[in-house]
Amino acid sequence: MEAPPAVWSFRAGWTEPLRARPVPVVLTCVAVLALLAWRIGAEPVLPAFLYLGVAGTALGFVDVAIKRLPDPLTLPSYGAGVVLLGLAAPFTEDGGGHFLHALFGLAALWALFAVQWLLIPNAIGLGDVKLAGVLGLYLGWLGLDAWLLGVVATFVFGGLFAAGLLVARRAGRKSELPYGPFLLLGTLVAVLVHTG
């Protein structure tokens, strides 16, 4: 039976992991926001990345708990990211170039994960494809080096974690693992390296 569509409601099923463990969620979110504020500083683009920090933290906790990246968090992040980065562009040196690169980054990372999803449908979920586009937007804003680092870090973190579980015999080759946290962690590493 197919899962009911995710909707925006504090009582929706996908919010249960956030409601069940509010302290770890809030502490993680505060730590992520502090890191981003420290590295980016008082720049016009800071609100965009802080939004990503909040949404990304929530998505990470939900994906670990229920192996889903709910549309009510992922899809609005496209619009929020485009608007917030667009508002920062006029006040950023070569902001128009950064914004154009952000759109290219969105399309490229979405396409990369969409191809994987089509060719190896059980390796990643459609939610990972949707999240990849959002993260590609932010990585693209930071440039090609950040985009590449984010992609490589994602695959490295995901691969090491999966290998560790296999070695420890805590998972098999067909075990379903949440991939969103590795996408988010790889992006966070790239942002921290390529800002400030």
Side-chain angles (χ1 to χ4, degrees):
M1 184 174 169
E2 208 173 295
V7 295
W8 250 121
S9 166
F10 186 69
R11 305 305 298 177
W14 63 265
T15 66
E16 198 279 331
L18 306 177
R19 290 182 280 114
R21 304 182 66 205
V23 173
V25 172
V26 170
L27 290 178
T28 302
C29 189
V30 168
V32 168
L33 297 183
L35 279 171
L36 292 171
W38 166 65
R39 287 299 293 155
I40 297 170
E43 297 292 333
V45 77
L46 180 61
F49 282 88
L50 292 180
Y51 169 84
L52 180 63
V54 173
T57 300
L59 283 164
F61 272 90
V62 171
D63 199 19
V64 166
I66 63 173
K67 296 182 177 64
R68 281 182 56 214
L69 292 162
D71 286 350
L73 276 179
T74 309
L75 298 183
S77 295
Y78 280 91
V82 168
V83 168
L84 290 170
L85 292 174
L87 290 172
F91 306 100
T92 303
E93 185 177 348
D94 191 25
H98 283 290
F99 189 72
L100 189 59
H101 291 152
L103 297 178
F104 286 142
L106 181 161
L109 199 54
W110 182 90
L112 176 65
F113 274 75
V115 167
Q116 288 180 76
W117 179 72
L118 288 169
L119 295 180
I120 318 168
N122 295 324
I124 61 171
L126 188 55
D128 299 312
V129 178
K130 297 171 189 175
L131 177 59
V134 174
L135 301 180
L137 178 73
Y138 286 86
L139 292 171
W141 172 276
L142 296 175
L144 180 59
D145 289 345
W147 192 94
L148 290 172
L149 176 58
V151 172
V152 170
T154 291
F155 289 127
V156 169
F157 290 141
L160 289 175
F161 184 77
L165 289 180
L166 286 171
V167 168
R169 297 176 188 250
R170 296 188 62 190
R173 290 183 179 271
K174 295 187 178 180
S175 297
E176 184 182 349
L177 301 174
Y179 200 67
F182 304 112
L183 270 163
L184 293 160
L185 182 58
T187 298
L188 179 61
V189 167
V191 170
L192 295 178
V193 169
H194 286 280
T195 55

